[in-house]
Amino acid sequence: MKITSSKLLALAIAGVAMPAMAQTTYVITASPEVIYEAGPFEIVGTSNEIGKILDKSRPVEPNSIPRPKFAIRTKNNKFIMSIGGKINPIIGYDLGNDLYNAPGGGVSFTTGNIPVPPQAGQKSAFFINPLNAYLDFTVVGLAGTSNEVTGYIKLATNHKSKGILLKRAYVTWRNATVGMTQTLFQDGLAVQPPTIDPEGPCGDIGATAYQLAYKSPSYSGFAWGAGIEMPTFYSSNGIYRGKDYRHEYGGISVTSEASQKAPDVPAFIEYAASDRNRIRLSGILRNFFYRDLITSKTRYLSAWGASLSGNFSFYKPLVFNFQAAYGKGIANYLQDISGRALSFTPKDSEPGKMKANPMMGLVFGASYNVTPKLQFNAVGSYSRIWEVGDYATVGDENGIAGNDNYRSAVYVAANCFYNITSYLQVGIEYLYGRRYTWNMGGANDNRIQTQFQFTF
């Protein structure tokens, strides 16, 4: 029955392709390892050309695992399918604060949610979190030809509940991508090194978007990309953070919702001398419509962001990464500020109008690969927002700083990963974070955690 279903899927993919267009046959220079054969189909290893085809189709983003260990294909590569995933229980201990049990906390070390001030009896916490797993599916039709088409789906937990969420769902054809994926404003190769913390550095650009985009091939190391996106208000890990704008101040609404009539527009240009030495300049134009309740008009407000990012290496086992992002109204795209209603706020000098607030994110990290099995990583990050003092909620009934009382944050991570086998990786990590508010001081948290990650 499985073989019959696969045949039907292969025929469907071939049927929707454009046969009138010229195709280039993919040249197999090394025979894949055949694990099992059934008629025209084979289960093969992915250590050579099959793996390269799959790599082109998979997302490049923080903490993503390598390609699956096996794939199903037809002998002519007109159809390839892989199923992969990970199971990654995390055990940890918070010291100095209880971010794990704080609102918006959990296994993701979101520095902007560190309780300020720390509460008596809640200055440490032990946790075991098994809710860090996913499955992904990659299907490639007409592999290695000019009409190669790919579908990718990722299903996962959100680290907080047992529910399964759709985190990625997109189609790629001729370098164009449409669907639900990471924002084009994000440089997936630069927002590294990997961390056990599912979220990563506070200043990283990381968000999920509904997207239509084009990424060019490399021309002597130069490449570019552009697209249109609709923000989803979900983090890169699929956690809903809430909208990044507000309409009221002091309990009075001076603006309200309006239909969004234009998408956000991201673009980038990059140069790569090699995989380990590259630089990218990214930008995004945000378009925001809202209703002015004072004059009963629908108004438009633009915002923008820019980022310089990349990787460099002077010694092969040691790789550095960096990112510096700044803009106005880009809270939804910055990890730590995402979900805080601070991108767009009412303009006090002109009631009924809104303004975009300035913010930034900085990241610098390093990875040292001692052996193919042993890796050490360190990363530091800083995020900051300006001009929102009056809109930073002071605190709740317990005297804890509100979610929007965010001025800046510092994030530091140091970890070590060891691959026991190609399927099992263990790791240990130290995290430090500090959150600064506008009028209630700051507080920090320390976390020590370990992982037991099984991938397939």
Side-chain angles (χ1 to χ4, degrees), residues 356-396:
N357 298 308
M359 53 197 70
M360 77 171 186
L362 304 174
V363 182
F364 187 81
S367 296
Y368 184 66
N369 297 282
V370 182
T371 70
K373 288 191 171 185
L374 180 62
Q375 182 186 68
F376 291 92
N377 304 284
V379 61
S381 185
Y382 178 72
S383 55
R384 174 72 192 269
I385 191 168
W386 291 269
E387 299 179 13
V388 294
D390 290 341
Y391 292 93
T393 51
V394 177
D396 60 17

Side-chain angles (χ1 to χ4, degrees), residues 92-405:
Y93 204 99
D94 278 358
L95 297 166
N97 220 314
D98 185 5
L99 175 57
Y100 184 81
N101 292 300
V107 71
S108 290
F109 197 75
T110 308
T111 51
N113 292 328
I114 294 174
V116 179
Q119 300 298 292
Q122 300 177 30
K123 295 184 179 181
S124 63
F126 172 78
F127 64 87
I128 300 176
N129 190 313
L131 305 175
N132 186 25
Y134 74 73
L135 283 173
D136 67 7
F137 304 85
T138 306
V139 178
V140 184
L142 303 173
T145 72
S146 56
N147 280 321
E148 180 175 294
V149 59
T150 300
Y152 179 84
I153 292 178
K154 179 179 178 180
L155 304 172
T157 63
N158 65 357
H159 319 125
K160 293 176 178 290
S161 67
K162 299 176 183 178
I164 303 298
L165 304 174
L166 178 66
K167 290 192 177 182
R168 297 287 181 266
Y170 62 84
V171 176
T172 300
W173 180 70
R174 287 180 172 253
N175 298 316
T177 299
V178 60
M180 177 183 178
T181 184
Q182 71 264 37
T183 172
L184 196 68
F185 189 38
Q186 174 181 322
D187 183 352
L189 291 173
V191 288
Q192 302 289 340
T195 56
I196 296 176
D197 169 24
E199 179 169 309
C202 61
D204 267 352
I205 295 172
T208 300
Y210 300 147
Q211 177 191 101
L212 172 61
Y214 177 83
K215 298 178 184 178
S216 78
S218 176
Y219 301 100
S220 300
F222 287 96
W224 61 274
I228 55 175
E229 295 182 348
M230 293 301 294
T232 65
F233 303 104
Y234 282 80
S235 72
S236 59
N237 290 308
I239 299 172
Y240 181 72
R241 294 284 181 78
K243 297 181 179 180
D244 62 341
Y245 55 85
R246 68 167 54 203
H247 292 300
E248 68 173 40
Y249 174 59
I252 301 174
S253 295
V254 291
T255 61
S256 67
E257 300 282 342
S259 299
Q260 299 305 308
K261 302 173 179 62
D264 292 355
V265 182
F268 73 84
I269 184 171
E270 74 172 23
Y271 174 73
S274 68
D275 292 342
R276 295 168 177 263
N277 291 277
R278 49 180 291 280
I279 188 168
R280 173 183 289 196
L281 178 63
S282 305
I284 191 166
L285 175 65
R286 297 199 68 184
N287 301 283
F288 181 65
F289 290 82
Y290 64 96
R291 188 71 177 165
D292 180 344
L293 297 180
I294 304 299
T295 61
S296 298
K297 293 181 179 180
T298 298
R299 298 188 181 275
Y300 164 77
L301 179 63
S302 65
W304 61 273
S307 172
L308 183 68
S309 59
N311 311 78
F312 61 93
S313 176
F314 306 107
Y315 172 56
K316 189 174 181 179
L318 181 62
V319 182
F320 296 93
N321 69 281
F322 65 92
Q323 175 213 280
Y326 178 83
K328 289 188 175 183
I330 58 170
N332 189 62
Y333 292 89
L334 290 171
Q335 295 248 91
D336 214 44
I337 309 178
S338 175
R340 307 180 196 283
L342 300 174
S343 274
F344 307 106
T345 55
K347 191 174 183 180
D348 293 339
S349 60
E350 298 180 71
K353 293 186 179 181
M354 300 184 78
K355 63 184 178 73
N357 298 308
M359 53 197 70
M360 77 171 186
L362 304 174
V363 182
F364 187 81
S367 296
Y368 184 66
N369 297 282
V370 182
T371 70
K373 288 191 171 185
L374 180 62
Q375 182 186 68
F376 291 92
N377 304 284
V379 61
S381 185
Y382 178 72
S383 55
R384 174 72 192 269
I385 191 168
W386 291 269
E387 299 179 13
V388 294
D390 290 341
Y391 292 93
T393 51
V394 177
D396 60 17
E397 63 276 7
N398 297 317
I400 302 176
N403 181 66
D404 294 337
N405 194 344

